[in-house]
Amino acid sequence: MSSDFEGYEQDFAVLTAEITSKIARVPRLPPDEKKQMVANVEKQLEEAKELLEQMDLEVREIPPQSRGMYNNRMRSYKQEMGKLETDFKRSRIAYSDEVRNELLGDDGNSSENQRAHLLDNTERLERSSRRLEAGYQIAVETEQIGQEMLENLSHDREKIQRARERLRETDSNLGKSSRILTGMLRR
């Protein structure tokens, strides 16, 4: 099972290296080759996602005691995949800016800076949104745990009250039997 995972890891490493080199070459290519390269990189990114899915399935089949190491690897691969997608988006934006600039005859320096600034802000917003969602999820889970604890405490309270009632009944029965025995002894 881990041999399949390691095979997927090797394929993923080779594929991400190819994608990285192609992304770096996109801005320097002539327009015709850029279109082909962008399409090729998109296809390879899809292949890399599929490899990640296969690796994730393999990790799920690994026994729980040795799964932690593989989960850590998967996290780093997913982060690497996210970085590749971000780099690709940036190179595509640079590519689309070049095409727009060719059509409009604009040098595009200021719009490129604005676009980079917008991308950074968008990434910050996405990170903040993910943090907010995670915080909301934690709050919901905490609320559910609190409700379960309150229900358990309510059940425990009922049990304690019933036990107290039984204890009172037993005490009164003991008192009656004590009086009866005392009466019998006097006779």
Side-chain angles (χ1 to χ4, degrees):
M1 191 175 310
S2 64
S3 64
D4 289 339
F5 183 83
E6 290 169 2
Y8 291 137
E9 274 184 313
Q10 290 174 355
D11 292 345
F12 184 77
V14 168
L15 196 55
T16 55
E18 287 178 18
I19 292 170
T20 303
S21 70
K22 288 180 180 179
I23 288 173
R25 290 190 346 231
V26 166
R28 296 179 298 224
L29 292 173
D32 296 339
E33 291 179 30
K34 280 183 187 181
K35 287 180 186 177
Q36 291 175 340
M37 186 66 74
V38 166
N40 192 350
V41 170
E42 285 175 341
K43 206 180 283 186
Q44 285 184 322
L45 282 171
E46 284 303 314
E47 287 178 32
K49 286 180 189 176
E50 289 175 11
L51 276 174
L52 276 178
E53 289 173 7
Q54 290 296 324
M55 290 164 62
D56 197 30
L57 289 174
E58 289 294 325
V59 167
R60 290 180 188 170
E61 294 179 13
I62 293 174
Q65 57 270 24
S66 59
R67 196 179 296 168
M69 174 182 69
Y70 291 102
N71 282 333
N72 289 337
R73 286 187 192 173
M74 283 302 298
R75 260 187 247 112
S76 69
Y77 293 144
K78 287 177 182 177
Q79 288 174 349
E80 184 177 349
M81 188 67 193
K83 184 182 178 308
L84 282 174
E85 288 175 335
T86 303
D87 291 347
F88 181 59
K89 283 179 187 175
R90 286 187 177 153
S91 75
R92 282 184 65 189
I93 288 170
Y95 166 67
S96 64
D97 280 349
E98 288 175 13
V99 170
R100 183 184 59 82
N101 291 340
E102 285 177 16
L103 292 173
L104 298 176
D106 186 16
D107 67 354
N109 285 338
S110 63
S111 67
E112 189 174 318
N113 290 338
Q114 288 175 347
R115 190 171 296 273
H117 186 66
L118 285 173
L119 269 176
D120 289 341
N121 287 340
T122 303
E123 287 178 29
R124 281 190 201 131
L125 280 173
E126 289 173 355
R127 282 194 304 268
S128 298
S129 296
R130 284 192 298 267
R131 286 187 197 132
L132 282 173
E133 288 173 2
Y136 176 75
Q137 192 64 31
I138 289 170
V140 167
E141 290 172 5
T142 304
E143 182 180 3
Q144 289 173 346
I145 290 169
Q147 286 176 342
E148 291 172 8
M149 288 177 71
L150 285 175
E151 289 174 10
N152 289 341
L153 288 172
S154 175
H155 292 300
D156 291 345
R157 181 179 184 197
E158 290 173 10
K159 287 178 185 176
I160 290 171
Q161 286 176 343
R162 277 184 261 142
R164 187 176 289 156
E165 290 291 323
R166 285 188 204 127
L167 186 62
R168 285 182 187 146
E169 288 175 14
T170 306
D171 189 41
S172 72
N173 288 338
L174 280 174
K176 286 179 188 177
S177 59
S178 173
R179 276 182 258 140
I180 291 172
L181 284 174
T182 315
M184 290 172 73
L185 284 174
R186 285 184 191 159
R187 287 184 196 160

